[in-house]
């Protein structure tokens, strides 16, 4: 039953057959760190192809190299070997084309909600009227109307996270890299944020790479899930998720037996208890 459900989920859903433009690529990517004489292989021969409009989730245990991968795609870390490409070109530094929401909350405490969201637009020299319009649009999308003039200290953790997401979204980078953006919020707020994120992504047509250590979150959000393993950090399998629509909710997901089977499969992969499905290796 479980194997059948996974098989039918693969049929017609493989990212490999997508005709869309390739936006991000990792080619034989390796990265090692050296700290106090000890070497750590954070990423070992990672290959990944991400198409325009994809919502990709990357899941794996702590220390498997998820943040390293996000930082390499952002251009903040140069890989030890291999290549990271954006639109066919080598990534050699940070760029406004690839926005990042960091694992540690990154909003400016001395700026209001509106001021935080407007920050990148100010740097980009966006005219004031256009800036105000875009900030209002995003405030509405993240459900923070009435909180525009509040400071981060006056907000809940979930609200702050929403501001961090909107801040990155504001400048419309084609690619948004999100490193465990909801890790620090409670389970109920997290579900709301995930549902909002799906709607925001569909409404703005972005390409998203979303890092998480939660299998449920990865399966709920992703068009496909990149399952990783630790020491050394490797991609075990790319698991396609059957389309559930932009209005999907957690209730929809929990009721869907295909999703249950896929979640169980991914869970076993990242726990190191199951060999990858052969047809998806080395995507
Ligand atoms: N600056 C650094 N110096 C030395 N080692 C590092 C550094 N950054 C990461 N590492 C090591 O590289 C490996 C991968 O780290 P990374 O932060 O990419 O993992 P992660 O999957 O994001 O983990 P988590 O889920 O805990 O955030 C870990 O073993 C970590 O100890
Ligand atoms: Mg991390």
């Amino acid at each position: 039953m479980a194997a059948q459900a996974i098989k039918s989920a693969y049929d017609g859903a493989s990212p490999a057959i997508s005709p869309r433009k390739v936006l991000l690529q990792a080619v034989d990517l390796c990265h090692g760190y050296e700290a106090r004489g000890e070497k750590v292989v954070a990423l070992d021969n990672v290959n990944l192809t991400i198409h325009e409009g994809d919502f990709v989730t990357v899941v794996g245990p702590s220390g498997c190299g998820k943040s390293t991968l996000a930082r390499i795609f952002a251009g903040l870390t140069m890989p030890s070997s291999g290549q990271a490409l954006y639109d066919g070109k080598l990534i050699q530094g940070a760029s406004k084309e690839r926005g990042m929401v960091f694992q540690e909350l990154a909003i400016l405490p001395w700026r209001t909600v509106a001021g935080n969201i407007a920050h990148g637009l100010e740097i980009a020299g966006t005219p004031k009227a256009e800036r105000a319009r875009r900030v209002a649009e995003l405030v509405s999308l993240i459900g923070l109307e009435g909180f525009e003039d509040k400071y981060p200290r006056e907000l809940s953790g979930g609200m702050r996270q929403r501001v961090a997401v909107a801040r990155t979204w504001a400048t419309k980078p084609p690619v948004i890299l999100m490193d465990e953006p909801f890790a620090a919020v409670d389970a109920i707020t997290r579900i709301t944020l995930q549902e909002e994120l799906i709607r925001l992504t569909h409404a703005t047509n972005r390409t998203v790479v979303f890092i998480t250590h939660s299998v449920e979150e990865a399966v709920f959000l992703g068009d496909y899930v990149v399952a990783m393993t630790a020491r050394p950090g490797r991609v075990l399998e790319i698991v396609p998720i059957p389309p559930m629509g932009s209005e999907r909710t957690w209730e929809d997901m929990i009721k869907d037996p295909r999703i249950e089977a896929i979640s169980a499969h991914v869970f076993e992969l990242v726990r190191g208890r199951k060999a990858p499905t052969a047809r998806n290796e080395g995507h």
Side-chain angles (χ1 to χ4, degrees):
M1 155 62 201
Q4 184 56 42
I6 290 172
K7 190 188 172 307
S8 61
Y10 282 141
D11 289 341
S14 169
I17 59 167
S18 169
R20 288 162 298 139
K21 177 171 146 182
V22 171
L23 211 53
L24 278 178
Q25 255 183 310
V27 183
D28 301 333
L29 211 59
C30 297
H31 193 70
Y33 293 102
E34 196 167 344
R36 284 175 283 123
E38 273 197 50
K39 285 186 183 158
V40 178
V41 181
L43 292 175
D44 184 33
N45 205 33
V46 168
N47 287 286
L48 206 53
T49 300
I50 296 169
H51 295 85
E52 197 169 46
D54 282 348
F55 196 121
V56 186
T57 51
V58 180
V59 67
S62 183
C64 74
K66 303 181 295 298
S67 292
T68 303
L69 181 64
R71 290 180 62 84
I72 289 174
F73 276 142
L76 301 171
T77 296
M78 293 309 285
S80 308
S81 67
Q83 294 181 327
L85 306 170
Y86 170 76
D87 201 10
K89 293 177 212 73
L90 200 62
I91 296 172
Q92 288 179 309
S95 157
K96 60 180 178 1
E97 288 159 329
R98 298 178 308 278
M100 178 124 170
V101 181
F102 289 91
Q103 189 164 4
E104 304 79 26
L105 191 68
I107 58 173
L108 307 170
W110 58 89
R111 280 186 165 234
T112 62
V113 167
N116 262 289
I117 298 174
H119 187 230
L121 298 169
E122 288 169 22
I123 293 170
T126 309
K128 202 172 172 189
E130 166 68 4
R131 221 159 61 205
R133 195 189 61 74
R134 233 170 311 144
V135 168
E137 190 180 276
L138 274 157
V139 164
S140 159
L141 271 168
I142 60 167
L144 282 185
E145 289 114 326
F147 290 85
E148 293 87 342
D149 298 328
K150 302 270 186 215
Y151 286 90
R153 64 175 181 275
E154 300 170 295
L155 305 174
S156 73
M159 288 166 157
R160 279 184 225 141
Q161 288 292 358
R162 280 183 253 178
V163 174
V165 170
R167 186 176 171 221
T168 303
W169 230 274
T171 52
K172 300 188 176 178
V175 173
I176 299 180
L177 303 155
M178 306 180 83
D179 191 0
E180 307 216 33
F182 307 147
V185 298
D186 71 89
I188 295 166
T189 308
R190 191 169 177 168
I191 288 174
T192 311
L193 292 178
Q194 289 163 349
E195 291 174 352
E196 281 169 5
L197 179 62
I198 290 169
R199 281 187 276 283
L200 183 62
T201 309
H202 278 260
T204 55
N205 195 30
R206 292 285 103 87
T207 304
V208 179
V209 181
F210 187 103
I211 310 283
T212 178
H213 61 258
S214 158
V215 170
E216 289 83 3
E217 185 169 62
V219 171
F220 180 58
L221 292 175
D223 298 326
Y224 52 96
V225 174
V226 176
M228 292 188 66
T229 181
R231 272 173 283 275
R234 285 199 180 125
V235 173
L236 276 175
E237 188 176 325
I238 315 258
V239 183
I241 308 298
M244 288 188 282
S246 63
E247 296 299 316
R248 65 181 175 273
T249 62
W250 266 73
E251 286 78 15
D252 299 336
M253 183 176 78
I254 290 161
K255 281 191 224 134
D256 191 330
R258 298 170 306 170
I259 298 296
E260 195 184 337
I262 289 171
S263 300
H265 176 66
V266 175
F267 197 72
E268 295 206 337
L269 281 172
V270 299
R271 289 195 76 196
R273 294 193 170 180
K274 196 173 187 184
T277 307
R279 61 179 286 181
N280 261 330
E281 273 183 308
H283 173 71

